[in-house]
Amino acid sequence: MNILLRNSSSILACLLAGLSTLVTAIPQSYTASDGVEYVIERDQVYNWLQAHTECVSHGLQLAIIDSAEKNQAFEALLRPIFDNPPHLWIGLHDNLNTAETLKRPFFSIVDGSQIKFSYWNNGEPNNALYSEHCTHIGMANNFKWNDDKCEKKFGYICEKPQAPVNISCELNETRKTVFELNEGLAKDHKNNQEEIQGMLNDNRLQTQSVLQEWQKSSQKSLNESQKSINDIFASKPYLQAVIADVGQPIKQIIREAYNEIAQFSHEAQQTIDGNSVVTQTSIMNKSHAFQQKLEENTNGVDGLLAEHE
C-alpha cells in the first residue's frame, strides 16, 4: 500500500495530460514582480483537467504556488487585474484523498511533489462530501485557496516553467507500474483469502475436537458412576430386593444419559458445521467478489493506458 501512495501522485501527473478534451481559448499573459510569467483565462468553462491540458498545449503548466514569496508576488499581480476575483484553477490536488480533514496533503500536478506552503481560505480545505480534490483561487473576495470538485467549470492560471518540463510521460512505463501495483494488491488479497480459509477450517476442527473430548469425558463419568453403583450392590447382598426394584430403572437412566450425550454432541457438531459453512461461504463470496473487482480494475486501467500509448 505504501508503494501505491508513493507512486500514485507522480502517475496522476502523467495521466492527466492525455485524459481531457481541449477547449480553444485566447488567454492573457502577465509577468509578476518576481519574474514569473503567468497566463490567465477568465472564462468559467474549464474543468481542472481541461485547464491542465490547455496549459500543457501551450508549453505551460498550471500555476504552482509553493512559497510565501511566490504567493506574495502572485497576489500583487492579480489584485490590480481583478476587483472581484473569479474562480481560477491552479495546479494543486490532494491525490484523490477521501479524508475529510483540513490537514491532508496537497501535491503538484507538474511533478507529484508535496506542496509544503499553503494559503487556504478559512475552514478550507474541507473536502466536502469527500469529493473536493482540486484547488482554485477566488474565495470571498480574496485570493486564498479553496478545494473543490475537479469537474466544476472555472477559469485557470498557467505559468511558464522556470526550467523545461518533460510533460511527454512514458505511458508504457506508467502502464507497467500501475499494472504491477494492482497485480501486487491482487496477489496479497489472494494470500489473505487463503489464510482466512485456513483459519476457518482450523476453527471448525478445533471445535469438533473439543466436542469429542467433552463426549468422551461425559461417557467416562457415566461409566464410573455405573461401576460404583454395581460395586455397592455387589458388596451388599442384602440389597438384592432393592436391586430388583430399582436396578433396571437406574440402568435405563444411565443408558438414556448416554444417548442424550451422543445426540447432543451430534446436533451441536451439525449446528457448528452449518454455521461455519454459512460464515465461510459468506466471507469467501465477498472476498471473491472483491478479487474480481480488483482484477477488473487492473485490466481496466491497463486498457485505458494502452489506448494512450
Short mmCIF file of all heavy atoms in Angstrom, two decimals, residues 33-84:
data_model
loop_
_atom_site.label_atom_id
_atom_site.label_comp_id
_atom_site.label_asym_id
_atom_site.label_seq_id
_atom_site.Cartn_x
_atom_site.Cartn_y
_atom_site.Cartn_z
N SER A 33 6.17 40.43 -10.22
CA SER A 33 7.37 41.17 -9.79
C SER A 33 8.57 40.27 -9.58
O SER A 33 9.71 40.74 -9.61
CB SER A 33 7.07 41.94 -8.50
OG SER A 33 6.70 41.04 -7.47
N ASP A 34 8.35 38.97 -9.37
CA ASP A 34 9.48 38.04 -9.21
C ASP A 34 9.94 37.45 -10.53
O ASP A 34 10.78 36.54 -10.55
CB ASP A 34 9.11 36.92 -8.23
CG ASP A 34 7.90 36.11 -8.68
OD1 ASP A 34 7.29 36.46 -9.72
OD2 ASP A 34 7.54 35.14 -7.97
N GLY A 35 9.36 37.93 -11.64
CA GLY A 35 9.79 37.49 -12.96
C GLY A 35 9.03 36.30 -13.51
O GLY A 35 9.26 35.90 -14.66
N VAL A 36 8.12 35.73 -12.73
CA VAL A 36 7.37 34.57 -13.21
C VAL A 36 6.28 35.05 -14.17
O VAL A 36 5.54 35.98 -13.88
CB VAL A 36 6.72 33.80 -12.03
CG1 VAL A 36 5.89 32.63 -12.55
CG2 VAL A 36 7.79 33.31 -11.07
N GLU A 37 6.22 34.39 -15.33
CA GLU A 37 5.22 34.74 -16.34
C GLU A 37 3.96 33.87 -16.17
O GLU A 37 4.06 32.64 -16.06
CB GLU A 37 5.80 34.53 -17.73
CG GLU A 37 6.99 35.44 -18.04
CD GLU A 37 7.55 35.20 -19.41
OE1 GLU A 37 6.77 35.02 -20.36
OE2 GLU A 37 8.81 35.19 -19.54
N TYR A 38 2.80 34.51 -16.14
CA TYR A 38 1.53 33.81 -15.97
C TYR A 38 0.62 34.08 -17.16
O TYR A 38 0.70 35.13 -17.82
CB TYR A 38 0.82 34.28 -14.70
CG TYR A 38 1.54 33.92 -13.42
CD1 TYR A 38 2.36 34.86 -12.79
CD2 TYR A 38 1.41 32.66 -12.86
CE1 TYR A 38 3.02 34.53 -11.61
CE2 TYR A 38 2.07 32.33 -11.68
CZ TYR A 38 2.87 33.27 -11.06
OH TYR A 38 3.53 32.96 -9.90
N VAL A 39 -0.24 33.13 -17.45
CA VAL A 39 -1.29 33.27 -18.46
C VAL A 39 -2.62 33.02 -17.76
O VAL A 39 -2.80 31.98 -17.11
CB VAL A 39 -1.09 32.26 -19.62
CG1 VAL A 39 -2.29 32.31 -20.56
CG2 VAL A 39 0.20 32.58 -20.37
N ILE A 40 -3.55 33.97 -17.90
CA ILE A 40 -4.82 33.91 -17.17
C ILE A 40 -5.98 33.76 -18.15
O ILE A 40 -6.11 34.54 -19.10
CB ILE A 40 -5.04 35.17 -16.31
CG1 ILE A 40 -3.88 35.32 -15.32
CG2 ILE A 40 -6.37 35.09 -15.59
CD1 ILE A 40 -3.94 36.61 -14.50
N GLU A 41 -6.80 32.73 -17.92
CA GLU A 41 -8.03 32.53 -18.68
C GLU A 41 -9.20 32.77 -17.73
O GLU A 41 -9.39 32.03 -16.77
CB GLU A 41 -8.08 31.10 -19.24
CG GLU A 41 -9.41 30.73 -19.87
CD GLU A 41 -9.83 31.72 -20.97
OE1 GLU A 41 -9.13 31.80 -21.99
OE2 GLU A 41 -10.85 32.41 -20.77
N ARG A 42 -9.98 33.81 -18.01
CA ARG A 42 -11.07 34.19 -17.11
C ARG A 42 -12.35 33.39 -17.32
O ARG A 42 -13.15 33.24 -16.40
CB ARG A 42 -11.39 35.68 -17.29
CG ARG A 42 -10.21 36.61 -17.12
CD ARG A 42 -10.57 38.02 -17.55
NE ARG A 42 -9.43 38.92 -17.54
CZ ARG A 42 -9.39 40.06 -16.85
NH1 ARG A 42 -10.42 40.42 -16.12
NH2 ARG A 42 -8.33 40.84 -16.90
N ASP A 43 -12.59 32.91 -18.55
CA ASP A 43 -13.86 32.25 -18.85
C ASP A 43 -14.06 31.03 -17.95
O ASP A 43 -13.17 30.17 -17.83
CB ASP A 43 -13.89 31.81 -20.32
CG ASP A 43 -13.97 32.99 -21.27
OD1 ASP A 43 -14.29 34.10 -20.79
OD2 ASP A 43 -13.72 32.79 -22.48
N GLN A 44 -15.23 30.94 -17.37
CA GLN A 44 -15.55 29.86 -16.42
C GLN A 44 -16.11 28.65 -17.16
O GLN A 44 -17.27 28.25 -16.96
CB GLN A 44 -16.53 30.38 -15.37
CG GLN A 44 -16.09 31.66 -14.67
CD GLN A 44 -14.99 31.42 -13.64
OE1 GLN A 44 -15.22 30.83 -12.58
NE2 GLN A 44 -13.79 31.88 -13.96
N VAL A 45 -15.29 28.04 -18.00
CA VAL A 45 -15.78 26.95 -18.86
C VAL A 45 -14.88 25.71 -18.84
O VAL A 45 -15.06 24.80 -19.64
CB VAL A 45 -15.93 27.44 -20.32
CG1 VAL A 45 -17.00 28.52 -20.42
CG2 VAL A 45 -14.60 27.95 -20.87
N TYR A 46 -13.92 25.66 -17.93
CA TYR A 46 -12.95 24.57 -17.92
C TYR A 46 -13.01 23.79 -16.62
O TYR A 46 -13.00 24.39 -15.54
CB TYR A 46 -11.52 25.12 -18.09
CG TYR A 46 -11.32 25.96 -19.32
CD1 TYR A 46 -11.57 27.33 -19.30
CD2 TYR A 46 -10.89 25.37 -20.51
CE1 TYR A 46 -11.40 28.11 -20.44
CE2 TYR A 46 -10.71 26.15 -21.65
CZ TYR A 46 -10.97 27.50 -21.62
OH TYR A 46 -10.80 28.27 -22.75
N ASN A 47 -13.06 22.46 -16.74
CA ASN A 47 -12.81 21.69 -15.52
C ASN A 47 -11.31 21.66 -15.28
O ASN A 47 -10.52 22.15 -16.09
CB ASN A 47 -13.43 20.28 -15.61
CG ASN A 47 -12.81 19.40 -16.68
OD1 ASN A 47 -11.59 19.39 -16.89
ND2 ASN A 47 -13.65 18.64 -17.38
N TRP A 48 -10.91 21.07 -14.16
CA TRP A 48 -9.49 21.15 -13.77
C TRP A 48 -8.58 20.44 -14.77
O TRP A 48 -7.50 20.92 -15.10
CB TRP A 48 -9.34 20.55 -12.37
CG TRP A 48 -8.01 20.76 -11.73
CD1 TRP A 48 -7.51 21.92 -11.24
CD2 TRP A 48 -7.00 19.76 -11.49
NE1 TRP A 48 -6.26 21.73 -10.69
CE2 TRP A 48 -5.93 20.41 -10.83
CE3 TRP A 48 -6.91 18.41 -11.74
CZ2 TRP A 48 -4.78 19.73 -10.44
CZ3 TRP A 48 -5.77 17.72 -11.35
CH2 TRP A 48 -4.72 18.39 -10.71
N LEU A 49 -9.03 19.29 -15.29
CA LEU A 49 -8.21 18.55 -16.26
C LEU A 49 -8.10 19.32 -17.57
O LEU A 49 -7.05 19.34 -18.20
CB LEU A 49 -8.82 17.17 -16.50
CG LEU A 49 -8.86 16.24 -15.30
CD1 LEU A 49 -9.43 14.88 -15.72
CD2 LEU A 49 -7.49 16.06 -14.69
N GLN A 50 -9.21 19.94 -18.00
CA GLN A 50 -9.17 20.75 -19.21
C GLN A 50 -8.23 21.94 -19.04
O GLN A 50 -7.49 22.30 -19.96
CB GLN A 50 -10.57 21.21 -19.58
CG GLN A 50 -11.48 20.09 -20.06
CD GLN A 50 -12.93 20.53 -20.19
OE1 GLN A 50 -13.37 21.48 -19.54
NE2 GLN A 50 -13.68 19.84 -21.03
N ALA A 51 -8.26 22.55 -17.86
CA ALA A 51 -7.35 23.67 -17.58
C ALA A 51 -5.91 23.20 -17.67
O ALA A 51 -5.05 23.87 -18.26
CB ALA A 51 -7.66 24.25 -16.21
N HIS A 52 -5.63 22.05 -17.08
CA HIS A 52 -4.28 21.48 -17.14
C HIS A 52 -3.85 21.25 -18.59
O HIS A 52 -2.73 21.61 -18.99
CB HIS A 52 -4.24 20.17 -16.36
CG HIS A 52 -3.02 19.34 -16.59
ND1 HIS A 52 -1.78 19.67 -16.11
CD2 HIS A 52 -2.86 18.19 -17.29
CE1 HIS A 52 -0.89 18.76 -16.48
NE2 HIS A 52 -1.53 17.85 -17.20
N THR A 53 -4.76 20.68 -19.39
CA THR A 53 -4.44 20.37 -20.77
C THR A 53 -4.21 21.64 -21.59
O THR A 53 -3.32 21.70 -22.45
CB THR A 53 -5.58 19.55 -21.40
OG1 THR A 53 -5.76 18.36 -20.64
CG2 THR A 53 -5.24 19.16 -22.83
N GLU A 54 -5.01 22.66 -21.32
CA GLU A 54 -4.83 23.94 -22.01
C GLU A 54 -3.43 24.51 -21.74
O GLU A 54 -2.75 24.97 -22.66
CB GLU A 54 -5.89 24.94 -21.55
CG GLU A 54 -7.25 24.74 -22.18
CD GLU A 54 -7.23 25.01 -23.67
OE1 GLU A 54 -6.89 26.14 -24.08
OE2 GLU A 54 -7.55 24.08 -24.43
N CYS A 55 -3.02 24.47 -20.49
CA CYS A 55 -1.67 24.96 -20.15
C CYS A 55 -0.61 24.15 -20.88
O CYS A 55 0.31 24.71 -21.51
CB CYS A 55 -1.45 24.90 -18.64
SG CYS A 55 -2.47 26.04 -17.68
N VAL A 56 -0.72 22.83 -20.80
CA VAL A 56 0.28 21.95 -21.42
C VAL A 56 0.36 22.17 -22.92
O VAL A 56 1.44 22.17 -23.52
CB VAL A 56 -0.07 20.47 -21.11
CG1 VAL A 56 0.79 19.52 -21.94
CG2 VAL A 56 0.13 20.18 -19.62
N SER A 57 -0.81 22.39 -23.56
CA SER A 57 -0.82 22.55 -25.02
C SER A 57 -0.07 23.81 -25.47
O SER A 57 0.31 23.93 -26.63
CB SER A 57 -2.27 22.60 -25.52
OG SER A 57 -2.92 23.78 -25.09
N HIS A 58 0.14 24.75 -24.55
CA HIS A 58 0.89 25.97 -24.86
C HIS A 58 2.30 25.95 -24.25
O HIS A 58 2.96 26.99 -24.16
CB HIS A 58 0.13 27.21 -24.34
CG HIS A 58 -1.15 27.47 -25.06
ND1 HIS A 58 -2.36 26.92 -24.66
CD2 HIS A 58 -1.41 28.20 -26.17
CE1 HIS A 58 -3.31 27.31 -25.48
NE2 HIS A 58 -2.77 28.09 -26.42
N GLY A 59 2.75 24.77 -23.84
CA GLY A 59 4.09 24.67 -23.26
C GLY A 59 4.18 25.26 -21.86
O GLY A 59 5.27 25.60 -21.40
N LEU A 60 3.02 25.34 -21.18
CA LEU A 60 2.98 25.92 -19.83
C LEU A 60 2.54 24.85 -18.83
O LEU A 60 2.42 23.67 -19.17
CB LEU A 60 2.01 27.11 -19.82
CG LEU A 60 2.26 28.21 -20.86
CD1 LEU A 60 1.12 29.22 -20.84
CD2 LEU A 60 3.59 28.90 -20.61
N GLN A 61 2.30 25.29 -17.60
CA GLN A 61 1.80 24.39 -16.57
C GLN A 61 0.83 25.17 -15.70
O GLN A 61 0.92 26.40 -15.60
CB GLN A 61 2.95 23.86 -15.70
CG GLN A 61 3.67 24.96 -14.93
CD GLN A 61 4.95 24.51 -14.24
OE1 GLN A 61 5.71 23.73 -14.79
NE2 GLN A 61 5.16 25.01 -13.03
N LEU A 62 -0.13 24.47 -15.10
CA LEU A 62 -1.00 25.14 -14.14
C LEU A 62 -0.13 25.75 -13.04
O LEU A 62 0.85 25.14 -12.61
CB LEU A 62 -2.00 24.17 -13.52
CG LEU A 62 -3.32 23.96 -14.26
CD1 LEU A 62 -4.16 22.89 -13.57
CD2 LEU A 62 -4.12 25.27 -14.36
N ALA A 63 -0.49 26.94 -12.60
CA ALA A 63 0.33 27.66 -11.62
C ALA A 63 0.53 26.84 -10.35
O ALA A 63 -0.43 26.30 -9.80
CB ALA A 63 -0.32 28.99 -11.28
N ILE A 64 1.78 26.76 -9.92
CA ILE A 64 2.14 26.07 -8.68
C ILE A 64 2.68 27.12 -7.70
O ILE A 64 3.78 27.64 -7.87
CB ILE A 64 3.22 24.99 -8.92
CG1 ILE A 64 2.74 23.98 -9.97
CG2 ILE A 64 3.57 24.29 -7.61
CD1 ILE A 64 1.51 23.20 -9.58
N ILE A 65 1.88 27.44 -6.69
CA ILE A 65 2.29 28.43 -5.68
C ILE A 65 2.83 27.65 -4.49
O ILE A 65 2.06 27.07 -3.70
CB ILE A 65 1.10 29.32 -5.27
CG1 ILE A 65 0.38 29.84 -6.50
CG2 ILE A 65 1.57 30.45 -4.37
CD1 ILE A 65 1.25 30.64 -7.44
N ASP A 66 4.14 27.62 -4.35
CA ASP A 66 4.76 26.74 -3.36
C ASP A 66 5.62 27.47 -2.32
O ASP A 66 6.39 26.83 -1.59
CB ASP A 66 5.60 25.67 -4.06
CG ASP A 66 6.62 26.27 -5.03
OD1 ASP A 66 6.76 27.51 -5.05
OD2 ASP A 66 7.27 25.49 -5.76
N SER A 67 5.49 28.81 -2.26
CA SER A 67 6.25 29.54 -1.24
C SER A 67 5.54 30.85 -0.93
O SER A 67 4.77 31.37 -1.76
CB SER A 67 7.67 29.82 -1.71
OG SER A 67 7.67 30.78 -2.75
N ALA A 68 5.82 31.41 0.24
CA ALA A 68 5.20 32.68 0.63
C ALA A 68 5.66 33.80 -0.29
O ALA A 68 4.88 34.70 -0.65
CB ALA A 68 5.56 33.00 2.08
N GLU A 69 6.92 33.77 -0.72
CA GLU A 69 7.46 34.82 -1.58
C GLU A 69 6.77 34.79 -2.95
O GLU A 69 6.38 35.83 -3.49
CB GLU A 69 8.97 34.63 -1.76
CG GLU A 69 9.79 34.84 -0.49
CD GLU A 69 9.72 33.67 0.48
OE1 GLU A 69 9.30 32.57 0.05
OE2 GLU A 69 10.05 33.86 1.67
N LYS A 70 6.62 33.60 -3.49
CA LYS A 70 5.97 33.48 -4.79
C LYS A 70 4.50 33.88 -4.68
O LYS A 70 3.96 34.54 -5.58
CB LYS A 70 6.09 32.04 -5.30
CG LYS A 70 5.55 31.87 -6.72
CD LYS A 70 5.83 30.47 -7.24
CE LYS A 70 5.36 30.32 -8.69
NZ LYS A 70 5.64 28.98 -9.25
N ASN A 71 3.86 33.51 -3.58
CA ASN A 71 2.45 33.86 -3.38
C ASN A 71 2.26 35.37 -3.25
O ASN A 71 1.28 35.93 -3.77
CB ASN A 71 1.91 33.16 -2.14
CG ASN A 71 0.42 33.40 -1.95
OD1 ASN A 71 -0.39 32.93 -2.74
ND2 ASN A 71 0.07 34.14 -0.90
N GLN A 72 3.21 36.04 -2.59
CA GLN A 72 3.11 37.49 -2.42
C GLN A 72 3.19 38.20 -3.78
O GLN A 72 2.39 39.11 -4.08
CB GLN A 72 4.24 37.98 -1.51
CG GLN A 72 4.17 39.47 -1.19
CD GLN A 72 5.26 39.89 -0.20
OE1 GLN A 72 6.13 39.11 0.17
NE2 GLN A 72 5.22 41.15 0.22
N ALA A 73 4.11 37.79 -4.62
CA ALA A 73 4.23 38.38 -5.95
C ALA A 73 3.02 38.02 -6.81
O ALA A 73 2.53 38.84 -7.61
CB ALA A 73 5.52 37.90 -6.62
N PHE A 74 2.53 36.80 -6.65
CA PHE A 74 1.38 36.31 -7.40
C PHE A 74 0.13 37.13 -7.07
O PHE A 74 -0.58 37.62 -7.96
CB PHE A 74 1.18 34.83 -7.05
CG PHE A 74 0.01 34.16 -7.71
CD1 PHE A 74 -0.01 33.96 -9.08
CD2 PHE A 74 -1.05 33.70 -6.96
CE1 PHE A 74 -1.07 33.31 -9.70
CE2 PHE A 74 -2.12 33.05 -7.56
CZ PHE A 74 -2.13 32.86 -8.93
N GLU A 75 -0.12 37.34 -5.77
CA GLU A 75 -1.28 38.11 -5.34
C GLU A 75 -1.16 39.58 -5.74
O GLU A 75 -2.15 40.21 -6.15
CB GLU A 75 -1.47 37.98 -3.83
CG GLU A 75 -2.76 38.60 -3.32
CD GLU A 75 -3.02 38.29 -1.85
OE1 GLU A 75 -2.31 37.42 -1.28
OE2 GLU A 75 -3.93 38.92 -1.28
N ALA A 76 0.05 40.11 -5.65
CA ALA A 76 0.26 41.51 -6.05
C ALA A 76 -0.02 41.71 -7.53
O ALA A 76 -0.46 42.78 -7.96
CB ALA A 76 1.69 41.92 -5.72
N LEU A 77 0.24 40.68 -8.34
CA LEU A 77 -0.06 40.75 -9.76
C LEU A 77 -1.57 40.73 -10.01
O LEU A 77 -2.09 41.48 -10.85
CB LEU A 77 0.60 39.56 -10.47
CG LEU A 77 0.20 39.34 -11.94
CD1 LEU A 77 0.78 40.46 -12.81
CD2 LEU A 77 0.67 37.98 -12.44
N LEU A 78 -2.28 39.90 -9.26
CA LEU A 78 -3.71 39.70 -9.53
C LEU A 78 -4.59 40.84 -9.04
O LEU A 78 -5.64 41.12 -9.64
CB LEU A 78 -4.17 38.38 -8.89
CG LEU A 78 -3.53 37.10 -9.44
CD1 LEU A 78 -4.08 35.89 -8.70
CD2 LEU A 78 -3.76 36.96 -10.94
N ARG A 79 -4.24 41.48 -7.95
CA ARG A 79 -5.13 42.48 -7.34
C ARG A 79 -5.47 43.64 -8.30
O ARG A 79 -6.64 44.04 -8.37
CB ARG A 79 -4.54 43.01 -6.03
CG ARG A 79 -4.64 41.99 -4.90
CD ARG A 79 -4.45 42.60 -3.53
NE ARG A 79 -4.65 41.59 -2.49
CZ ARG A 79 -5.83 41.21 -2.03
NH1 ARG A 79 -6.95 41.77 -2.52
NH2 ARG A 79 -5.93 40.29 -1.09
N PRO A 80 -4.52 44.19 -9.03
CA PRO A 80 -4.89 45.27 -9.98
C PRO A 80 -5.73 44.76 -11.16
O PRO A 80 -6.44 45.53 -11.80
CB PRO A 80 -3.53 45.79 -10.47
CG PRO A 80 -2.54 45.33 -9.46
CD PRO A 80 -3.05 44.02 -8.98
N ILE A 81 -5.64 43.46 -11.44
CA ILE A 81 -6.35 42.90 -12.59
C ILE A 81 -7.82 42.64 -12.26
O ILE A 81 -8.71 42.88 -13.08
CB ILE A 81 -5.68 41.59 -13.06
CG1 ILE A 81 -4.22 41.86 -13.47
CG2 ILE A 81 -6.45 40.94 -14.19
CD1 ILE A 81 -3.43 40.60 -13.78
N PHE A 82 -8.07 42.17 -11.03
CA PHE A 82 -9.42 41.76 -10.64
C PHE A 82 -9.89 42.57 -9.43
O PHE A 82 -9.29 42.52 -8.36
CB PHE A 82 -9.45 40.27 -10.27
CG PHE A 82 -9.05 39.36 -11.39
CD1 PHE A 82 -7.81 38.72 -11.37
CD2 PHE A 82 -9.90 39.13 -12.46
CE1 PHE A 82 -7.45 37.85 -12.39
CE2 PHE A 82 -9.54 38.28 -13.49
CZ PHE A 82 -8.31 37.64 -13.46
N ASP A 83 -11.00 43.28 -9.61
CA ASP A 83 -11.65 43.89 -8.45
C ASP A 83 -12.35 42.82 -7.61
O ASP A 83 -12.32 42.84 -6.38
CB ASP A 83 -12.69 44.93 -8.90
CG ASP A 83 -12.03 46.12 -9.59
OD1 ASP A 83 -10.87 46.43 -9.22
OD2 ASP A 83 -12.65 46.70 -10.49
N ASN A 84 -12.98 41.90 -8.30
CA ASN A 84 -13.68 40.79 -7.65
C ASN A 84 -13.19 39.50 -8.31
O ASN A 84 -13.65 39.13 -9.39
CB ASN A 84 -15.19 40.94 -7.83
CG ASN A 84 -15.97 39.95 -6.97
OD1 ASN A 84 -15.42 39.35 -6.06
ND2 ASN A 84 -17.24 39.80 -7.28
#
